[in-house]
């Protein structure tokens, strides 16, 4: 119930921070969480699969986490690529606050979390990692991916983790049909009922 409306801009209930201890990038980290966000009690299964299976992000340039929650993906990117700039976006203002605060707790100066409309539309991203919010509905999900995936830099890759029974195969087909010929869409792996999709942007 706590996370039932995690995709609301301003979730119901008080914003009360709680301690959260998790393993990120191979070490135990002490962070903060709250109710009213996605997976408030730890790293959800899909995100865990993504973080375990994808290759390291680009070591420099701009990296993006779509739907950051309390920050597990963005923080891992920043820890693994300290010379890159990590952008984390979420419509939930509570998530934006927590991700920025958690970056501060880890001493990470290369993380910037915000609502989507605050990101410079001219930015291009060398790596995108996301556990996209499937439950917002197909139309909203498609609009979200249309906004961000075309902003891959030449030679960049986006990695999405999607549960098989929540439409990973149909999403792969839609992406292949939606994106222009400069993009390729492949299923990279399947693990624990989740599939990882990779979208590559041609170098030139």
């Amino acid at each position: 119930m706590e996370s039932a409306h995690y995709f609301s801009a301003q979730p119901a209930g008080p914003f009360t921070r709680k301690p959260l201890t998790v393993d990120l990038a191979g070490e135990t980290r002490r962070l903060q969480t709250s109710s009213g966000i996605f997976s408030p009690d730890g790293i959800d299964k899909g995100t865990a699969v993504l973080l375990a299976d994808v290759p390291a992000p680009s070591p420099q340039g701009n990296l993006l986490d779509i739907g950051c929650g309390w920050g597990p993906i963005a923080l891992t990117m920043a820890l693994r690529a300290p010379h890159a700039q990590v952008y984390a976006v979420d419509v939930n203002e509570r998530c934006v606050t927590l991700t920025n605060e958690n970056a501060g707790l880890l001493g990470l100066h290369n993380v910037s979390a915000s609502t989507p409309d605050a990101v410079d539309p001219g930015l291009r991203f060398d790596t995108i990692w996301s556990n996209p919010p499937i439950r917002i509905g197909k139309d909203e999900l498609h609009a979200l991916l249309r906004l961000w995936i075309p902003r891959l830099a030449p030679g960049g890759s986006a990695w999405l983790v999607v549960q098989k029974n929540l439409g990973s195969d149909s999403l792969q087909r839609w992406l292949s049909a939606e994106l222009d010929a400069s993009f390729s869409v492949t299923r990279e792996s399947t693990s624990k009922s989740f599939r990882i999709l990779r979208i590559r942007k041609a170098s030139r």
Side-chain angles (χ1 to χ4, degrees), residues 63-87:
L63 316 180
L64 177 67
D65 170 15
I66 306 169
C68 60
W70 52 261
I73 291 174
L75 299 174
T76 299
M77 286 179 132
L79 289 162
R80 295 181 67 182
H83 300 296
Q85 179 62 42
V86 179
Y87 294 85

Side-chain angles (χ1 to χ4, degrees), residues 94-112:
R94 198 171 291 185
C95 293
V96 170
T97 298
L98 285 168
T99 297
N100 282 323
E101 290 180 351
N102 285 331
L105 288 172
L106 296 181
L108 296 170
H109 302 291
N110 59 331
V111 176
S112 175

Side-chain angles (χ1 to χ4, degrees), residues 27-46:
E27 291 188 21
T28 300
R29 318 283 179 173
R30 288 172 176 79
L31 305 171
Q32 297 183 125
T33 185
S34 171
S35 62
I37 67 171
F38 175 66
S39 192
D41 298 322
I43 300 174
D44 67 286
K45 291 179 182 178

Side-chain angles (χ1 to χ4, degrees), residues 109-123:
H109 302 291
N110 59 331
V111 176
S112 175
S114 69
T115 54
D117 58 359
V119 178
D120 179 352
L123 282 176

